[in-house]
Amino acid sequence: MTPVPALVPRVLSIAGTDPSGGAGTAADTKSITAAGGYAMAVVTCLVAQSTRGVREVHTPPTAFLRAQLDAVGQDVAIDAVKTGMLGTTEIIETVWAWLEELGSQPAQHAARRAQVAGPGGRPPLLVVDPVMVATSGDRLLEPQAEAAMTALCQRATVITPNIAELAVITGQEPATTAEEALDQARAWSQRTGTDVLVKTGHLSGEMATTFWVGPDGVLAQVPTRRLATTSTHGTGCSLSSALAARLAAGQEPAQALAWSCHWLHEAIAHGAELGVGQGHGPVDHSHRSRRLALAADTAPWVPRDAVPPALEHPDELRAVAGVPGLPSPPAAHPDRAVPPQGPWTRALWRSAGPLIAQIQDSGFVRALVEGTLAAPEFDFYLAQDTHYLARYAKALATVSTRAPSAAQTAQWARTAAAVIDDEAELHRTWLAGRELPAESPVCLAYTDFLQATASVEPYAVAAAALLPCPWLYAHIGAGMPHPGPDHPYAAWLSTYHDPVFARMSNQAAALTEQAMAQATPTERSRAARAFLIACRHELEFFEQARRLGDMQAGGAAVGQMQDGGAPA
Ligand SMILES: Nc1ncnc2c1ncn2[C@@H]1O[C@H](COP(=O)(O)OP(=O)(O)O)[C@@H](O)[C@H]1O
Ligand SMILES: Cc1ncc(COP(=O)(O)OP(=O)(O)O)c(N)n1
């Protein structure tokens, strides 16, 4: 069957400007694009602002606002509207009137909209970010326009106020806890029928969780760890715009919220690296897409000249540069609990030190260790790891048949048995009763590499290819703090924290050390390449789960396209 392209929802932002690019229409269009939509923007107010605050606001006549809305609305079928800074009552009324009239658009527009969110005359989705005050404390909505903004909120699909805005809309004092904010949102939603995002960025505490609240209470929540950063300019604009795009692509609220919050979290985490401005800096809206572009790079993992063609002495093996484009933390040193077992394994570690540091620093591993990894990402990882362990154990068994002595054969075979009996037990318990999905491309690529290397390459090359898996896991496990009982992945972390696992890793390193010592210089060179390639497979294996949201969103949109006919 010919693949149907994923639907690209057309999302209109109606908001003010920010010439420094962090908030307003600039943030909205970047966020809609990042979330897979086609972004359009109508400007309400021209704001002379930067990361240091607002200097001046110029508001063009509302007749010109109306002219912009008509220009885009009469030409383009709009799948979702997101409003941001509206500034005055007159602007809110102009937008309201235009939204009402949008209901009588030409038929092809309605047909197109029906594909994404069911039939209906009005734009199927209206996300209102009731912007009132900027982080800098500057007002972006006249106080006398708060009533009109509250009325507009009631006709939205979902609103995205911060704590202070929620208080104005619900007529309460600002909440001081998430529970208070949830109560305010639930009561207001019961009265109006409109859903509310409760954002807790302005509260304190370890978590900055975001909740989707409807009349019956919390429909979905995305727990995210609070980041110690000042790069939070425009977070509200960005979240609401990404959400509008994901909803317009056909995602359910829970999925759309999860994607938007995780994407934003990454953008906030890397905002400071942009080095933009001297005040509250912007988030890095493109961090995720740059990461994904990197994952599609076709450059060889281990360049031809990275490893000498023959290795007479361990010192000839130099550190190989890590993955270009990823942050480069200082090269990793082996943990004392899982040290190299001689000069050759020391040289192998040295060659991969920059890459191992990148693996430890990778978004997946960090989120897993700190406990903020989303449950679907962990489940995906664990399911793939289940496939991996089954094939890894077979590769170990294959190497055992090729070992030069009975003692070495027995050691490899015992490791194979331990992988199946002990390590995979965690997976069996976690995934009990659930159907295992098929192997991912990344899992297949890694396990095919291991099984082929174990079968046909010289013994030392096979041993070196199999070593990164236990060594990296034992290294990560040994270096992390003991997980507390509330850690969602405590069972996983404890498995790799366990001294029994460290012993297994040390044994694999000792066998590889012996094999390298007895190998020819050319075999050692191939072994070093195999070790580096396996380390890189480990990085890919961890990071694949962080592409999960995109695959699911594509699937949802494709389904709707097939049911709804061709795009307009
Ligand atoms: N320091 C932070 N660390 C992590 N996430 C944050 C942080 N500050 C804000 N966020 C996230 O940014 C989004 C916007 O939150 P908030 O700051 O409450 O609203 P606004 O930007 O509209 O004032 C929320 O999803 C929140 O979780
Ligand atoms: C033009 C414009 N619109 C909105 C804001 C406020 O954006 P927000 O996302 O709430 O971000 P901060 O308040 O965190 O900056 C703005 N500054 N300018």
Side-chain angles (χ1 to χ4, degrees):
M1 201 172 85
T2 317
V4 182
L7 187 64
V8 177
R10 291 158 293 190
V11 184
L12 176 68
S13 153
I14 306 175
T17 63
D18 174 3
S20 68
T25 50
D28 291 356
T29 50
K30 291 175 201 178
S31 307
I32 293 163
T33 307
Y38 175 76
M40 300 170 284
V42 158
V43 173
T44 53
C45 305
L46 296 146
V47 186
Q49 64 170 318
S50 68
T51 64
R52 294 205 286 199
V54 176
R55 294 184 179 189
E56 219 176 302
V57 178
H58 172 70
T59 306
T62 45
F64 186 67
L65 170 64
R66 180 67 206 217
Q68 293 178 74
L69 291 167
D70 285 341
V72 65
Q74 288 165 10
D75 182 34
V76 182
I78 299 162
D79 300 313
V81 172
K82 174 254 146 121
T83 65
M85 175 186 179
L86 297 180
T88 66
T89 306
E90 217 187 335
I91 290 176
I92 296 170
E93 286 170 351
T94 305
V95 171
W96 180 297
W98 175 77
L99 285 169
E100 292 290 311
E101 286 172 33
L102 208 58
S104 52
Q105 274 187 336
Q108 88 263 18
H109 287 193
R112 158 72 186 201
R113 290 202 303 271
Q115 287 170 13
V116 275
R122 295 177 184 165
L125 281 161
L126 174 62
V127 178
V128 173
D129 185 20
V131 173
M132 295 182 186
V133 180
T135 306
S136 52
D138 301 284
R139 282 211 72 97
L140 298 173
L141 181 76
E142 291 174 354
Q144 59 271 31
E146 285 172 0
M149 179 62 92
T150 304
L152 178 69
C153 284
Q154 296 183 25
R155 91 187 287 296
T157 311
V158 61
I159 62 169
T160 63
N162 62 23
I163 291 291
E165 290 155 356
L166 180 64
V168 171
I169 288 160
T170 59
Q172 312 264 318
E173 285 301 305
T176 54
T177 62
E179 288 68 34
E180 277 176 27
L182 290 175
D183 284 345
Q184 291 178 357
R186 190 183 306 113
W188 186 82
S189 180
Q190 273 165 5
R191 279 204 309 279
T192 61
T194 295
D195 289 356
V196 182
L197 275 205
V198 170
K199 306 184 295 185
T200 60
H202 292 270
L203 296 177
S204 52
E206 212 183 317
M207 302 300 285
T209 299
T210 307
F211 304 83
W212 184 301
V213 178
D216 298 327
V218 175
L219 294 176
Q221 55 181 292
V222 182
T224 36
R225 199 162 288 281
R226 187 178 301 280
L227 296 161
T229 177
T230 53
S231 300
T232 53
H233 177 54
T235 45
C237 305
S238 305
L239 180 66
S240 54
S241 301
L243 188 72
R246 299 308 276 195
L247 290 170
Q251 279 195 319
E252 292 300 320
Q255 276 183 309
L257 181 66
W259 190 96
S260 305
C261 288
H262 292 143
W263 161 78
L264 180 62
H265 199 255
E266 176 173 351
I268 297 172
H270 295 279
E273 292 156 23
L274 294 172
V276 172
Q278 294 155 48
H280 282 272
V283 306
D284 183 358
H285 297 93
S286 304
H287 194 272
R288 184 185 176 90
S289 49
R290 260 183 269 115
R291 170 165 62 78
L292 295 181
L294 202 63
D297 192 3
T298 55
W301 284 356
V302 183
R304 197 181 282 278
D305 58 0
V307 177
L311 287 170
E312 299 282 355
H313 192 274
D315 287 350
E316 291 161 8
L317 191 54
R318 301 266 162 229
V320 173
V323 183
L326 287 186
S328 304
H333 292 293
D335 193 279
R336 267 183 301 178
V338 279
Q341 299 293 312
W344 285 108
T345 41
R346 186 169 304 112
L348 287 180
W349 185 284
R350 185 176 57 238
S351 70
L355 180 53
I356 294 170
Q358 288 179 322
I359 293 171
Q360 269 189 291
D361 188 53
S362 68
F364 181 90
V365 171
R366 271 193 286 126
L368 179 58
V369 170
E370 53 173 54
T372 53
L373 187 70
E377 292 183 9
F378 183 74
D379 290 348
F380 174 87
Y381 159 78
L382 210 69
Q384 293 308 320
D385 207 39
T386 305
H387 287 301
Y388 173 85
L389 289 181
R391 299 188 79 190
Y392 181 67
K394 287 185 183 177
L396 287 167
T398 305
V399 174
S400 86
T401 66
R402 308 186 59 214
S405 73
Q408 287 162 316
T409 295
Q411 282 177 347
W412 285 117
R414 272 196 294 272
T415 307
V419 165
I420 293 174
D421 293 341
D422 306 330
E423 201 179 344
E425 175 57 23
L426 163 76
H427 300 59
R428 281 190 289 272
T429 316
W430 192 284
L431 299 167
R434 284 193 255 176
E435 197 185 336
L436 202 60
E439 295 97 331
S440 68
V442 171
C443 178
L444 278 179
Y446 190 9
T447 51
D448 282 355
F449 163 74
L450 290 178
Q451 290 194 304
T453 307
S455 305
V456 301
E457 290 288 340
Y459 171 65
V461 182
L466 291 170
L467 179 57
C469 169
W471 205 0
L472 291 181
Y473 275 68
H475 173 75
I476 292 169
M480 71 197 172
H482 212 290
D486 295 338
H487 195 295
Y489 309 121
W492 186 94
L493 299 177
S494 299
T495 301
Y496 297 105
H497 206 60
D498 195 336
V500 173
F501 191 78
R503 271 202 297 283
M504 187 174 116
S505 163
N506 288 336
Q507 196 177 68
L511 287 167
T512 308
E513 182 68 39
Q514 255 179 318
M516 291 284 283
Q518 288 161 6
T520 66
T522 326
E523 286 171 353
R524 286 186 197 128
S525 166
R526 284 162 64 184
R529 291 188 79 83
F531 183 83
L532 285 161
I533 289 171
C535 285
R536 180 61 195 267
H537 274 296
E538 286 291 334
L539 176 65
E540 298 297 315
F541 198 90
F542 282 130
E543 284 293 283
Q544 63 175 326
R546 297 176 71 217
R547 300 171 210 150
L548 190 59
D550 294 293
M551 292 186 285
Q552 284 177 342
V558 168
Q560 302 240 359
M561 280 287 287
Q562 285 164 336
D563 295 338

